[in-house]
Amino acid sequence: MFCLSVSFREGFELSGDHDPIKVDWQGPPGVLPQLTRSGWLRSIHWLSEVDSTNRHAKLLAEDRRQALPALVVAKTQTGGRGRRGRSWFSDSGTLTFSILLAIPESEIPRDRWPQLALVSGLAVCDVVAEIVDPAEVRLKWPNDVYIDGGKVAGVLIETAGRDNDRVVIGIGLNVATDLSQAPAEVQQRARSIRDFVDMPIDRFTVLPEIIDRIAERIEQWKIEPAAIATAFSQVCLLTGRELTIDTAGQQVAGRCDGIDSDGQLKLHTADGIRLTIRSGEVVSWNVGAEGCDG
Ligand code: BTN
């Protein structure tokens, strides 16, 4: 049960069973109680139009008084950023948001923070799978969510704050994206949830479930990190496939043997060498008898 307690310029504060949450929300009213139900989010920032929610979240990170975790959600995102300097296409059916988090190094050492990519991808995958069931949803390492051979969501993790002690999780999810209006390359590689469900689907109604799932998966990651790798393995798109990965400027080819308990990709090259890859971009992989470019 929440009640309105304090007014301030851009929004209001909700208080109830938890400490007050700073809220500026202009999305569907019914979604707000769901967003705040777990008490995990400490502030919500609605943006009618922004170039990039990740960039905005990084600006918020400069202010040490920000109540975290903070959700930054855009009605319109005009310059979405993707991994490796790519751009992210979105329209009025795409859910685009970022979460700004503080992760005390005492809880999770910094060298484990890159695993947050898998943790977040897994949370989005969980929710998408429930919505499009029985369609098959898979994760392309480290965090691209795939339905039916096409990408439906991408995650961009960035560090932020003066001491790089904050993390931004940026997520773009094609909920009701009209891909016929997208650039040809996006049309070819992307999928939209709306094409796998019978009923109209509103992008913002999906958000609370994703927020809850991210909070749960982060908690699991802190307590039982190996469980993340186990869950990821169950939905890994690449296990058993021949692939080429771009890592540290080098292309390496081999068969994917899944991921290890730290979330690193295991590769078995044609020369019989077994590698574990910490970061990189899978640029192509085989799908049955066919090939696929990432
Ligand atoms: C990728 O697959 O390359 C990652 C795409 C991440 C896109 C999201 S949309 C919301 C957030 N803001 C950004 O500018 N990028 C992320």
Side-chain angles (χ1 to χ4, degrees), residues 57-65 68 100-105 108-111 113 158-168:
K58 287 174 89 168
L59 283 180
L60 291 183
E62 300 297 321
D63 177 1
R64 308 298 288 184
R65 294 163 307 174
L68 305 182
L100 173 63
L101 276 178
I103 305 179
E105 203 160 357
I108 307 264
R110 236 175 247 218
D111 62 349
W113 291 6
E158 297 184 275
T159 51
R162 255 173 299 152
D163 304 320
N164 275 333
D165 56 348
R166 305 275 190 257
V167 177
V168 176

Side-chain angles (χ1 to χ4, degrees), residues 51-55 77 79-83 86 88 95-98 144 151 153-156 170-172:
D51 53 356
S52 155
T53 56
N54 265 39
R55 194 193 60 79
Q77 180 175 259
R81 307 198 307 217
R83 295 177 71 225
R86 287 186 299 251
W88 176 263
L95 181 62
T96 51
F97 67 98
S98 302
D144 291 339
K151 180 164 161 176
V155 182
L156 177 65
I171 297 177

Side-chain angles (χ1 to χ4, degrees), residues 3-14 21-25 32 44:
C3 63
L4 198 64
S5 61
V6 183
S7 291
F8 68 106
R9 195 171 57 84
E10 286 182 312
F12 52 87
E13 287 191 359
L14 285 173
I21 302 172
K22 286 192 171 184
V23 176
D24 174 21
W25 174 256
L32 182 58
I44 298 176

Side-chain angles (χ1 to χ4, degrees), residues 221-232:
W221 175 53
K222 287 180 183 170
I223 299 165
E224 197 192 352
I228 296 295
T230 305
F232 193 103

